[in-house]
């Protein structure tokens, strides 16, 4: 059996967790949390980072920091995970869904431009599969309209747009360490705050609306309730696990890229013969090998391919369902058809991708796909 995902352990996780436990400090913002944050800030050129218990939480913090009020509009892709937009809906925002590009599932900048109104408060690009959105265009649209950009970089660790780190463009950006991502902590996330004027409020929101972080740094002599907030910080046990992973980032990334390239080469002939479409990387984007997907001709072919592979013990899976068509948002959506989002909903298929997958297994998956199309 080849599963779709298998969480990778570097081997140091339990050692670091033991260290954290032995230190007697296992609540949040201890040494391991600080080390993880410092790693992200330095390596990815982020002004300030705060670990959170999930990327969902980081997005919820971002929505509060954008000061979203009832009726404000937020532009986001429809082809994304629920949390990307749910975080803003919780603050009363109206989500204005934009379609994906023709050649990849990222948000289409032309659509963003058309959808901006005086009510628009934020644009939330999602770097699908870790492949950069067109950040040059998106940042220039946002700057012209005085709108904030929040990057959902959940899948985009160690990936770049025109040589600049994803997560370093928006005033805020969010990462995920869910067990399905490249670097994991079970559940975990991180908020990057590149607009330094938001740092103080971010710390307060993360500490239940109190100025406790300033108190612990000795900047004030008592702390209290100064804003809204919640408990968004992870325990040191989670941070210790994460630090063990971050230390091995380069090794994780290079192994995943090897596998990704093996898939690409192994399926190229099927793309050339028109049986499927391979991922398209724009010239400004890098590949962090978060995911390997193919596009089938239609949903019938995609679904039979899933069944065919399953019979051979290979777990391949579809991905998002367009959010503008979801049970919750359908009646709230303004009715514009979003054809590319629906096309990816129906035709995109993700293949097994995890650190311990072998090149031989990748070849096995490719040959199974070949036999599906060519008999
Ligand atoms: C994984 C993911 C999330 C949610 O991350 P959690 O850490 O599970 O909350 C949000 N957005 C995208 C695009 C994701 O891939």
């Amino acid at each position: 059996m080849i599963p779709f995902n298998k969480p990778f352990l570097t081997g140091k996780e339990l050692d670091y967790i033991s260290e954290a436990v032995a230190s007697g400090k296992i609540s949040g913002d201890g040494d391991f949390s600080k080390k993880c944050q410092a790693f992200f800030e330095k390596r990815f050129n982020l002004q300030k980072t705060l670990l959170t218990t999930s990327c969902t939480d980081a997005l919820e913090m971002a929505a509060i920091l954008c000061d979203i009020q009832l009726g404000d509009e937020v532009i986001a892709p429809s082809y994304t995970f629920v949390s990307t937009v749910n975080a803003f809906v919780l603050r009363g925002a109206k989500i204005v869904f934009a379609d994906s590009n023709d050649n990849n599932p990222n948000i289409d900048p032309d659509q963003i431009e058309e959808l901006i109104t005086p009510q628009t408060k934020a644009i939330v690009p999602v770097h699908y599969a870790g492949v950069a959105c067109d950040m040059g265009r998106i940042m220039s649209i946002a700057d012209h309209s005085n709108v904030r950009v929040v990057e959902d970089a959940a899948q985009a660790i160690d990936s770049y747009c025109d040589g600049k780190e994803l997560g370093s463009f928006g005033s805020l950006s969010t990462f995920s360490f869910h067990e399905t991502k490249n670097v994991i902590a079970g559940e975990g996330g991180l908020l990057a705050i590149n607009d330094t004027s938001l740092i103080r409020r971010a710390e307060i929101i993360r500490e239940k609306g109190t100025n406790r972080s300033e108190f612990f740094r000795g900047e004030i002599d008592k702390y209290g309730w100064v804003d809204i907030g919640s408990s968004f910080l992870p325990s040191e046990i989670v941070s210790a696990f994460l630090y063990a992973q971050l230390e091995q980032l380069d090794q994780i990334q290079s192994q995943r890229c090897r596998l990704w390239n093996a898939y690409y080469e192994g399926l190229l002939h099927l793309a050339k013969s028109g049986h499927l479409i391979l991922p398209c990387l724009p010239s400004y984007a890098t590949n962090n090998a978060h995911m390997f997907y193919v596009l089938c001709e239609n949903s019938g072919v995609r679904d039979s391919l899933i069944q065919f592979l399953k019979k051979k013990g290979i777990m391949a899976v579809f991905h998002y369902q367009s959010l503008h068509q979801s049970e919750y948002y359908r009646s709230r959506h303004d009715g514009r058809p979003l054809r590319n989002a629906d096309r990816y909903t129906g035709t995109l298929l993700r293949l097994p991708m995890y650190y311990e997958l072998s090149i031989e297994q990748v070849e096995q998956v490719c040959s199974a796909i070949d036999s599906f199309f060519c008999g």
Side-chain angles (χ1 to χ4, degrees):
M1 226 266 291
I2 304 181
F4 170 66
N5 180 53
K6 184 174 177 221
F8 170 61
L9 301 178
T10 67
K12 282 290 200 118
E13 287 83 356
L14 292 178
D15 293 344
Y16 289 169
I17 289 173
S18 302
E19 240 180 77
V21 172
S23 78
K25 154 86 179 155
I26 50 174
S27 60
D29 281 343
D31 289 345
F32 281 109
S33 299
K34 289 187 181 127
K35 279 177 164 175
C36 291
Q37 291 172 182
F39 178 94
F40 261 86
E41 286 161 15
K42 188 151 176 271
R43 169 93 186 231
F44 301 120
N45 193 24
L46 305 166
Q47 288 304 311
K48 168 76 187 166
T49 64
L50 294 170
L51 287 181
T52 56
T53 47
S54 64
C55 179
T56 301
D57 269 356
L59 285 158
E60 287 177 20
M61 285 183 66
I64 298 173
L65 287 166
C66 288
D67 213 12
I68 301 292
Q69 306 293 320
L70 190 65
D72 286 345
E73 294 176 3
V74 170
I75 299 173
S78 173
Y79 193 75
T80 185
F81 190 61
V82 178
S83 298
T84 309
V85 292
N86 184 67
F88 294 88
V89 169
L90 283 172
R91 315 291 343 144
K94 175 180 190 290
I95 307 302
V96 180
F97 284 114
D99 207 356
S100 299
N101 290 313
D102 290 334
N103 60 9
N104 78 24
N106 285 340
I107 192 165
D108 175 355
D110 288 337
Q111 291 231 340
I112 298 177
E113 206 147 29
E114 288 165 17
L115 295 171
I116 297 248
T117 74
Q119 279 70 51
T120 310
K121 260 300 191 33
I123 303 168
V124 192
V126 179
H127 306 297
Y128 186 79
V131 173
C133 293
D134 187 345
M135 293 314 290
R137 290 233 13 232
I138 293 172
M139 294 313 292
S140 99
I141 296 167
D143 290 345
H144 276 116
S145 354
N146 206 15
V147 168
R148 283 199 187 280
V149 171
V150 177
E151 295 176 73
D152 182 341
Q155 306 173 10
I157 189 170
D158 192 29
S159 202
Y160 303 80
C161 182
D162 282 324
K164 185 167 152 58
E165 301 81 359
L166 295 185
S168 71
F169 288 88
S171 24
L172 297 160
S173 63
T174 64
F175 291 86
S176 173
F177 312 117
H178 184 263
E179 73 169 22
T180 52
K181 306 301 202 267
N182 290 25
V183 162
I184 63 176
E187 302 277 356
L190 176 129
L191 176 70
I193 306 127
N194 297 312
D195 177 344
T196 51
S197 73
L198 297 176
I199 294 173
R200 179 167 183 263
R201 191 164 185 230
E203 288 182 337
I204 288 167
I205 289 165
R206 180 163 164 274
E207 275 283 17
K208 302 93 183 168
T210 73
N211 50 1
R212 188 158 141 180
S213 302
E214 290 166 3
F215 172 73
F216 280 136
R217 284 197 296 265
E219 294 164 15
I220 47 176
D221 56 13
K222 59 181 187 319
Y223 74 88
W225 187 15
V226 296
D227 202 336
I228 60 166
S230 191
S231 184
F232 289 118
L233 70 170
S235 86
E236 276 292 287
I237 297 174
V238 170
S239 308
F241 190 111
L242 179 62
Y243 192 66
Q245 296 261 319
L246 291 175
E247 282 186 329
Q248 298 291 317
L249 177 66
D250 292 329
Q251 186 190 329
I252 292 171
Q253 299 298 78
S254 66
Q255 171 63 1
R256 293 183 75 108
C257 284
R258 270 184 73 223
L259 298 167
W260 198 99
N261 292 333
Y263 270 129
Y264 198 91
E265 280 160 32
L267 296 172
L268 197 53
H269 69 288
L270 290 173
K272 284 183 176 153
S273 54
H275 287 103
L276 47 74
I277 296 174
L278 291 174
C280 167
L281 257 79
S283 57
Y284 49 78
T286 56
N287 180 20
N288 72 349
H290 170 60
M291 182 195 300
F292 195 93
Y293 69 82
V294 297
L295 301 172
C296 298
E297 197 177 331
N298 56 51
S299 62
V301 173
R302 195 265 315 263
D303 296 345
S304 353
L305 179 52
I306 292 176
Q307 290 313 317
F308 181 87
L309 293 173
K310 199 171 172 187
K311 283 203 195 93
K312 293 186 176 283
I314 297 164
M315 300 301 141
V317 293
F318 56 85
H319 208 187
Y320 304 129
Q321 311 285 299
S322 299
L323 293 175
H324 72 288
Q325 306 264 30
S326 63
E327 183 183 324
Y328 180 68
Y329 221 82
R330 202 164 37 214
S331 59
R332 293 164 172 88
H333 176 63
D334 54 30
R336 279 170 302 113
L338 302 173
R339 293 194 179 81
N340 284 334
D342 291 342
R343 183 164 59 90
Y344 295 119
T345 297
T347 66
L348 189 144
L349 180 65
R350 294 179 293 160
L351 303 179
M353 171 59 95
Y354 49 91
Y355 186 92
E356 288 171 67
L357 190 69
S358 66
I359 296 285
E360 291 67 37
Q361 287 172 314
V362 169
E363 285 163 1
Q364 193 186 326
V365 176
C366 292
S367 95
I369 296 174
D370 181 84
S371 63
F372 173 80
F373 285 112
C374 308

